[in-house]
Amino acid sequence: MIEDHTSRTGFAINNGIQIIGSGNQPIGWKSYTKEAKKLYKESLIAQYAKEIKDSEHCIPFLECSNIEPFQVIGKYQFYKSDIVKQKDVFERVRTNDDYIGERILFPRTGTRLRAIYANMPIYYGFDIYSIQLRESSLYPLFTAILNSDLINYYLMIKHRKRVSDSFPKTTMNDVIKLPIPIMYDEELQSKISLISLKLSQGELSFSLYRDVFNQLIFDLYGLSKFERQKVTDFFLKSKKLTTNEIDKYISLFIETIKPHISEDISIKGTKYIDNRLVSSFIGVKIEFESKQEKQTISIDRVVNHSLMQLVKEIGNANIYTTKDRIYAKNSLFFVRENDIKNWSKSKALEDAKVFLTNLLK
Amino acid sequence: MGVTFVHIADAHQDDLESLALIADITKNKGLRNKDYFWVSLILDYITSLYNSISQKEKQILKTKNERTVKEFIRKKLESDDTFTDIHFLTVELEPQNKHIQLLGFYDIKIRSSLWNNYFSFECKCIDNTQTSILEYIYNPNKIKKKEKYEDGGIYRFLINKYSTNLMFGGMIGFVQDGDYLNIKQTIFNKIENLKLNSNSNCFGELSEEGILETDSPYYFQSTHSRYDVLEDRKCEPIKIHHFLYDFI
């Protein structure tokens, strides 16, 4: 699907341009001080660009910081329409055709992939890629896919080069290899495309529509309930849990394993929160009670024991490996740091699955 | 001093030994090896799936693009919470088969982390042409890249290439055009007369019980003798579960 009408290879992903690169530096550039380099760049920009658009300076030059999901933000400069005549300021200039027509732009840096749809002439920085599609009608849908939590999750898990600093996080190859859904549900595609267009035109707010929009992308890719939850929970911000949230974890865990447990066994969940160390810990006990046998070990004793071991063994080492799942006769214990990421819904489903898989081995 | 916690997600031997202490709590002991339980469960899901397809969806599925129908099946099955969250079943499209020498790719493979085996399905778009029916069963003269070879959906199970060493497999035909009953009858006739040869070994014949029809007009079973042509050995017979989806 990712294809350029002018390309023989089939891929139409291009890099942008750079203000002063190795190809158009003045003589003696290397001996310039940092301040001198900055002044030179500023004078060149002042010579070629305008802060306010006019009839002559009408093409915006976007940098990574100007791109947010679906939207262009912040301040940017305007340049003249013939880029070939501006090689003093821009390096890696190709032809004017490379900056006109429909395209999707997205930066290769930043904590997540952000894409905008452009259908007017735009110059864009070297850290921004542009994609052209053979099927023009797919632009809104593809912009939506790139901005989705699902694709961001996939890139993060599978392709991300580094989590922080300015090294490129997403490469051309990563985007070329993105899984494209088999599309047969035209109604769903139209719905996503319409929302994408409205988000691009500012008629809808991305922060308000994010959940609805992400659910539609999940539908497009046909994700199961567990997979949806896993992606959603991946973007949870770290925080300590409320007792209600711990109860939800326990309920979901029990609800998932219950169909596989004998009817004459009752399952009971107990929680314990320990705040004595710098990191707060949560212990959860899942007890399987039969009429014959009763379990006596309490969850606070298990958490205490785990923490004592922890304090005893840390010593001078700065890495401590611990099991977060402990089995006893008729009981299962979980001891983990008090962070929503450790006790999310997807974690409850995953824990239940691992428990049952091992139990049935 | 920074402390990093490395959580071990998978069970180790100690865990498995501890788990043995509470293994009695499970409802269905030995579930991992109960093929008959999983096979009938998956067949129920496939039957319900077909019954839930709306007229509007049938129009979408009336396509020569086999992948569209396969993706539809995957999405539909995995949107059922019982399928994924209770039975931990997953659908894989076009994964590699398990035969050591005969490389191939299943159209649909259904498996569960609670089951040791898997259920593979071969899918075929069918119309009233002879070729499409041969493709469903056995085509002695298939030509690809100017090379002639034997192939066919059922044939792949009969040579032990698909569902290798398992005693069950599935065929799903998407009938797109023609007279449904005529197509079904032609398939029955061809299955009843099926007889294959390899190194003077006969295989592929239908068992004495013949084709087993069920309450559902879209589902039937056939059991065949089986022969691994590459390893030159007889295998246990295989029961093939057939679904003929009517998209006409």
Side-chain angles (χ1 to χ4, degrees):
Chain A
M1 193 178 77
I2 306 169
E3 195 160 337
D4 185 358
H5 53 284
T6 58
S7 162
R8 283 185 182 182
T9 58
F11 299 116
I13 299 193
N14 286 318
N15 272 116
I17 46 182
Q18 203 170 5
I19 298 181
I20 305 297
S22 55
N24 62 351
Q25 288 163 354
I27 296 160
W29 177 254
K30 280 183 183 164
S31 61
Y32 279 35
T33 62
K34 205 176 170 184
E35 189 59 28
K37 283 179 180 172
K38 193 181 162 206
L39 282 172
Y40 179 82
K41 267 191 182 181
E42 281 173 359
S43 71
L44 209 58
I45 290 169
Q47 194 184 325
Y48 280 91
K50 289 275 191 293
E51 278 187 10
I52 297 167
K53 186 178 178 179
D54 60 32
S55 57
E56 209 180 358
H57 300 83
C58 54
I59 303 192
F61 173 69
L62 300 184
E63 306 224 49
C64 294
S65 57
N66 294 121
I67 296 181
E68 279 295 303
F70 300 102
Q71 290 283 314
V72 175
I73 57 151
K75 282 187 172 179
Y76 41 87
Q77 309 272 349
F78 291 89
Y79 287 81
K80 288 181 182 174
S81 60
D82 191 349
I83 197 160
V84 182
K85 289 181 182 164
Q86 300 177 77
K87 285 186 177 173
D88 285 349
V89 59
F90 292 128
E91 198 218 4
R92 298 169 197 270
V93 168
R94 290 178 295 275
T95 67
N96 282 313
D97 285 349
D98 289 312
Y99 305 95
I100 58 169
E102 290 183 291
R103 65 194 58 237
I104 295 168
L105 301 177
F106 63 94
R108 60 178 176 173
T109 58
T111 50
R112 62 174 284 146
L113 196 65
R114 293 116 49 212
I116 56 161
Y117 163 62
N119 59 355
M120 57 176 202
I122 288 180
Y123 300 149
Y124 46 94
F126 182 65
D127 282 330
I128 296 174
Y129 291 136
S130 98
I131 308 180
Q132 283 187 295
L133 305 179
R134 189 201 281 163
E135 284 289 319
S136 168
S137 62
L138 290 174
Y139 276 109
L141 183 72
F142 205 73
T143 310
I145 288 174
L146 291 181
N147 280 317
S148 67
D149 277 357
L150 176 60
I151 288 302
N152 272 283
Y153 169 82
Y154 179 83
L155 284 172
M156 197 80 90
I157 295 288
K158 198 166 169 66
H159 296 299
R160 187 103 180 168
K161 308 299 173 288
R162 290 186 199 179
V163 176
S164 58
D165 77 38
S166 62
F167 189 81
K169 317 289 190 305
T170 314
T171 67
M172 286 187 183
N173 271 340
D174 300 341
V175 174
I176 289 164
K177 285 179 193 161
L178 282 179
I180 304 296
I182 297 170
M183 290 184 277
Y184 58 81
D185 190 341
E186 286 177 12
E187 214 171 286
L188 178 63
Q189 284 166 239
S190 307
K191 205 170 172 181
I192 298 170
S193 298
L194 187 66
I195 290 181
S196 174
L197 274 177
K198 287 188 174 179
L199 288 166
S200 296
Q201 288 158 1
E203 287 175 38
L204 293 176
S205 147
F206 182 61
S207 57
L208 290 179
Y209 258 79
R210 192 170 172 163
D211 288 345
V212 179
F213 158 76
N214 277 319
Q215 288 301 325
L216 291 172
I217 299 290
F218 290 155
D219 290 343
L220 186 72
Y221 279 85
L223 261 58
S224 67
K225 183 177 138 193
F226 172 69
E227 291 164 335
R228 286 164 195 249
Q229 196 60 53
K230 183 121 183 148
V231 175
T232 307
D233 290 346
F234 183 80
F235 292 100
L236 283 174
K237 288 197 174 113
S238 285
K239 73 163 188 89
K240 288 188 177 173
L241 283 89
T242 61
T243 50
N244 189 27
E245 283 166 333
I246 307 173
D247 288 341
K248 277 186 182 164
Y249 169 90
I250 295 173
S251 309
L252 187 54
F253 181 89
I254 294 177
E255 195 185 299
T256 312
I257 62 166
K258 208 167 184 176
H260 300 275
I261 307 297
S262 298
E263 277 90 1
D264 57 346
I265 302 278
S266 68
I267 311 170
K268 203 174 106 188
T270 331
K271 59 184 178 289
Y272 173 71
I273 305 172
D274 190 294
N275 289 314
R276 285 170 300 165
L277 290 182
V278 181
S279 303
S280 166
F281 283 83
I282 291 174
V284 165
K285 175 186 178 186
I286 306 291
E287 191 174 347
F288 304 97
E289 271 183 356
S290 66
K291 282 171 191 159
Q292 291 81 29
E293 287 191 80
K294 294 271 179 197
Q295 176 59 246
T296 51
I297 306 167
S298 65
I299 181 61
D300 50 330
R301 277 183 64 199
V302 172
V303 174
N304 279 336
H305 177 77
S306 291
L307 296 183
M308 286 304 288
Q309 279 292 108
L310 178 69
V311 173
K312 204 167 78 184
E313 291 184 33
I314 282 177
N316 293 325
N318 61 1
I319 292 177
Y320 179 78
T321 305
T322 180
K323 276 196 289 189
D324 60 358
R325 194 175 293 125
I326 300 151
Y327 299 105
K329 200 175 182 189
N330 289 1
S331 290
L332 161 67
F333 302 90
F334 294 104
V335 181
R336 291 181 191 137
E337 284 174 84
N338 185 350
D339 186 330
I340 189 74
K341 284 177 178 266
N342 292 332
W343 302 97
S344 61
K345 285 183 192 168
S346 59
K347 197 72 186 154
L349 290 166
E350 200 174 283
D351 286 338
K353 192 174 172 180
V354 170
F355 171 66
L356 286 172
T357 307
N358 292 326
L359 189 67
L360 292 165
K361 256 180 190 165
Chain B
M1 184 179 70
V3 178
T4 307
F5 292 87
V6 182
H7 294 301
I8 302 166
D10 270 335
H12 284 236
Q13 196 53 41
D14 294 354
D15 292 334
L16 296 180
E17 279 164 18
S18 311
L19 268 167
L21 295 170
I22 54 172
D24 282 344
I25 62 170
T26 56
K27 189 188 276 178
N28 206 338
K29 290 183 189 72
L31 189 65
R32 299 193 71 85
N33 295 311
K34 286 182 180 168
D35 288 350
Y36 63 90
F37 167 84
W38 292 102
V39 168
S40 67
L41 182 75
I42 291 166
L43 292 173
D44 280 349
Y45 277 118
I46 303 279
T47 310
S48 318
L49 180 148
Y50 178 68
N51 293 332
S52 73
I53 300 175
S54 66
Q55 276 307 319
K56 197 177 160 192
E57 286 170 329
K58 278 188 183 174
Q59 285 305 311
I60 297 172
L61 299 175
K62 202 172 173 181
T63 166
K64 289 262 180 323
N65 188 344
E66 196 181 284
R67 295 189 83 182
T68 298
V69 192
K70 287 191 284 187
E71 174 66 358
F72 175 86
I73 291 174
R74 182 192 71 79
K75 276 189 181 180
K76 199 92 170 170
L77 288 173
E78 290 196 342
S79 66
D80 182 339
D81 292 349
T82 318
F83 184 88
T84 52
D85 296 351
I86 304 287
H87 297 117
F88 299 111
L89 287 161
T90 52
V91 181
E92 287 175 72
L93 299 187
E94 297 168 19
Q96 199 176 324
N97 66 345
K98 296 223 167 176
H99 197 283
I100 302 165
Q101 291 166 292
L102 284 166
L103 178 72
F105 295 89
Y106 298 126
D107 279 326
I108 295 174
K109 180 178 174 183
I110 301 178
R111 61 191 182 92
S112 166
S113 57
L114 306 182
W115 183 26
N116 282 341
N117 285 324
Y118 62 91
F119 201 149
S120 63
F121 291 88
E122 176 64 11
C123 299
K124 292 286 174 198
C125 286
I126 305 172
D127 51 30
N128 49 5
T129 62
Q130 187 70 4
T131 320
S132 75
I133 291 168
L134 288 180
E135 284 291 306
Y136 183 87
I137 303 165
Y138 167 63
N139 185 354
N141 300 309
K142 187 163 179 175
I143 298 170
K144 199 175 179 183
K145 291 178 184 169
K146 292 180 184 172
E147 265 187 54
K148 212 161 96 173
Y149 61 101
E150 294 174 282
D151 197 13
I154 296 180
Y155 176 76
R156 293 179 192 176
F157 288 102
L158 301 184
I159 59 170
N160 204 29
K161 178 180 179 179
Y162 283 2
S163 285
T164 307
N165 301 332
L166 293 176
M167 292 168 76
F168 51 89
M171 290 290 307
I172 309 179
F174 311 130
V175 184
Q176 306 282 3
D177 203 5
D179 183 304
Y180 181 84
L181 289 177
N182 267 345
I183 289 172
K184 189 176 169 187
Q185 192 53 53
T186 314
I187 289 175
F188 273 33
N189 294 342
K190 292 238 180 263
I191 289 176
E192 278 161 352
N193 295 321
L194 190 63
K195 207 170 186 181
L196 302 164
N197 260 292
S198 175
N199 299 335
S200 64
N201 286 295
C202 280
F203 67 102
E205 304 107 318
L206 189 62
S207 67
E208 277 180 15
E209 60 186 10
I211 292 172
L212 290 180
E213 292 198 70
T214 63
D215 292 342
S216 163
Y218 310 104
Y219 167 57
F220 60 94
Q221 303 168 355
S222 63
T223 305
H224 303 257
S225 57
R226 203 180 195 195
Y227 191 79
D228 192 313
V229 291
L230 240 91
E231 292 177 4
D232 196 18
R233 67 177 172 90
K234 263 193 165 184
C235 307
E236 290 293 316
I238 183 167
K239 180 179 272 184
I240 298 179
H241 300 267
H242 303 259
F243 290 89
L244 281 184
Y245 285 5
D246 182 359
F247 295 147
I248 300 168

